[in-house]
Amino acid sequence: MRGEMRHALLVAIVAAIVLAVAPALIGTYTLTLLVIYGMLALSLGLIWGFGGILCFGQAAFFGLGAYTYAIAAINIGESTVPFLLGIAIPFLFAAALGAMMFYGRLSDVYLGVITLVVTLLFFRFMNSTAGPEYVVGTARLGGFNGIPGFQTLNVPGDPSAYIFGDAYYYLTAVALLIVYLLVRWLLASPFGRIAMAIRENELRVELLGYDARARKTLLFSIGGAIAGLAGTLYASWAEIVTPGMFSLGQSAEIIIWCIVGGLGTLVGPVIGAMILAYLKFALGQQSVIDNTLVLGAILILCVLLMPRGVVPTLGSALRRSYRRPQTDGTRRRPGASPAERAHV
Amino acid sequence: MDLAAIFAVEILYAIASLVVISSGLAVVFGMMRVINLAHGEFMMVGGYATIVAVKSGINIYIAMLIVAPIVVGVLGVIVERLIIRRLYGRLVDTMLATWGLSLLLIGLASMIFGNTTTGISPPIPGFAIGQYQVNGYSFFIILAAVAILVAMFAVLAGTRAGLVARGAMQNPAMASALGYNPERVYMLTFFAGSALAGLAGGLFAPLLGLVPTIGSAYIAKAFITVISGGASVIAGLVSSAVLFGATSQIFTLATTPMVGEIALLLIAIVLLRLLPQGITSRFFRGAM
């Protein structure tokens, strides 16, 4: 455990240096979004890569966090409580949804359908709330147009001291690093060990006397809370929340980031999200080739050619060039070989 | 009285459209255990094939009933050969790859046709029941749904090809020992499923304005209907289409279409929680 945490700290320090240098290359406004997407990818990378729970609706928690923040910020006017609510509400919602699914013993495909359906429910509902009767406190839900004009993040206790621009970028970057370290610590704890054991063989873990359902529910809720945090930060960055955050496209993108980056790692999804989101941003500036097409092609090619993702594939290629011959790990989807899992 | 007739037609139409939308996916999932998340985009391609054919002077019925299924069927075979074939037995990977395919097709369609709405008008005029106006095309969809179900049953239960297909799905090793090539059977089944998706796309082309992203309007409904139906292809499809179609339409008529849609999704969640293997895991067991 201590070795792992030392490794995690090393990763965090390298990441901190990269994040500190990055503004020299890319504007902080774009970078902030990349960091937020990285955190969102991390949330799915945790529950999918380490818990074996494929959630087709991670966007639901992302959107829920953002909407919670926006609605609470309009009603309260100061950002500290809304910020905490933006994490707590998705956590509680994920706990309820997870309990329903895991205590019902639903498995992969059915889990996928339910999470997908829940996301669609939010999307449809939020899109249809244009009328003046849909209000929470003083906040109108605004339907397709979303909610603009709420209090963005401020220094706790001082509503007029907005955090924006470069400062906001550094805030999100620090948040990402903290989340990464906390998740690493969680995975190194007995809880994390058992969660990974459940991914490998749920029946065996249950026969050893652990309650897999409760652990999966908790892991799922933590994933929801991280996605909610990303949503909260997003809301404050974009200064508007729209139903598009709940769209299937958004959910698809999160999954693509994780696959491209690599499952069974934490850094992989974050890097995948940043690279692909930047690619999308860059592709959005030209009109020769449609960027949905490019994303689709990337997803297909990754599933076919690199089912373990870019980071683990590169990692094992590097390791192989150091010491060969090494037996290649199995090509199972959740998780890479134990050695890589512990170190990336 | 007139109102009751209208309600009955509307409810039947809702059920029929679920059957039409989901039939292709049901064949592919029920027979091959493959979830094709590009199903909605296959329908979108069928819709564009119909519209292009009609605009180049082909009779609308030929375009809907023949051109669209063939175009999409061929597309399906290409996809099966290039992608799906490599992923048999890996359900989640297939879902992800076909999700990628769906994005790719949306991108292609918006590059070719642009992000604008195109459409054709329905070939059957509306008519009046008492003082209410009914869409005549609804009856055509209902008829088509019945025809699709009858044809599926006839092929699966009554023909040699259907027997071989069911056999190869149940036990590929035995089928190949008896001289049938399972690869070929998979390919043809996927062709049939894609062709049904194309047919559905063609049938719905006159009803909705066609945009490249229209697939997402279909896929969720089709996905839910098929999964909730469970393992039996036809019995599952019919039972869940009846349940979902009727409830969502009743809620739509009583309140608004949005409530109808939300009711459908909520029922799906409750149903899957209670019957995680689908309706046909408990009822109509052993039906086809």
Side-chain angles (χ1 to χ4, degrees), chain A residues 160-331:
Chain A
S160 60
Y162 297 108
I163 305 173
F164 64 100
D166 287 357
Y168 194 64
Y169 164 67
Y170 291 114
L171 178 82
T172 54
V174 169
L176 178 65
L177 292 175
I178 292 175
V179 168
Y180 170 76
L181 287 174
L182 283 178
V183 168
R184 265 283 153 231
W185 172 77
L186 181 78
L187 288 172
S189 72
F191 171 82
R193 296 288 189 217
I194 297 166
M196 282 186 260
I198 293 172
R199 174 194 65 191
E200 298 298 325
N201 192 335
E202 183 165 347
L203 183 64
R204 191 176 291 178
V205 172
E206 295 235 302
L207 291 175
L208 287 172
Y210 298 105
D211 187 351
R213 299 169 300 181
R215 288 183 166 79
K216 279 167 101 171
T217 305
L218 182 57
L219 189 71
F220 189 70
S221 329
I222 293 172
I226 298 173
L229 171 62
T232 304
L233 292 172
Y234 179 89
S236 204
W237 172 82
E239 298 178 20
I240 183 169
V241 294
T242 59
M245 297 181 74
F246 292 113
S247 68
L248 281 186
Q250 181 77 58
S251 288
E253 255 178 71
I254 306 172
I255 289 180
I256 298 174
W257 297 335
C258 285
I259 294 190
V260 171
L263 282 173
T265 72
L266 283 181
V267 175
V270 177
I271 294 177
M274 290 179 169
I275 291 176
L276 288 182
Y278 188 72
L279 188 70
K280 187 176 172 185
F281 168 78
L283 285 171
Q285 315 226 330
Q286 51 89 42
S287 54
V288 185
I289 191 154
D290 190 275
N291 70 39
T292 322
L293 187 149
V294 178
L295 276 180
I298 291 175
L299 179 55
I300 297 175
L301 290 176
C302 277
V303 172
L304 287 178
L305 305 177
M306 286 192 291
R308 288 161 53 211
V310 174
V311 170
T313 306
L314 283 181
S316 59
L318 274 177
R319 213 161 299 138
R320 219 172 303 137
S321 65
Y322 278 128
R323 48 180 149 86
R324 58 200 178 90
Q326 181 206 35
T327 46
D328 196 28
T330 48
R331 308 232 306 173

Side-chain angles (χ1 to χ4, degrees), chain A residues 129-154:
Chain A
T129 55
E133 68 272 26
Y134 294 101
V135 285
V136 179
T138 50
R140 274 186 61 181
L141 293 180
F144 187 73
N145 295 318
I147 309 176
F150 44 83
Q151 168 88 13
T152 57
L153 212 58
N154 56 255

Side-chain angles (χ1 to χ4, degrees), chain B residues 24 27-29 31-34 36 42 69-86 88 161 164-166 168-169 172 180-196:
Chain B
V27 166
V28 172
F29 177 68
M31 305 282 295
M32 302 165 67
R33 294 280 126 187
V34 163
N36 178 13
F42 279 22
I70 290 180
V71 168
V72 180
V74 170
L75 171 72
V77 169
I78 297 172
V79 166
E80 200 271 346
R81 286 289 94 186
L82 289 179
I83 303 172
I84 315 265
R85 183 167 64 95
R86 300 164 200 279
Y88 281 124
V164 171
R166 282 187 289 141
M169 303 310 162
Y180 300 102
N181 183 359
E183 284 254 322
R184 226 174 95 87
V185 178
Y186 289 143
M187 193 174 83
L188 290 176
T189 310
F190 201 79
F191 171 80
S194 312
L196 279 172

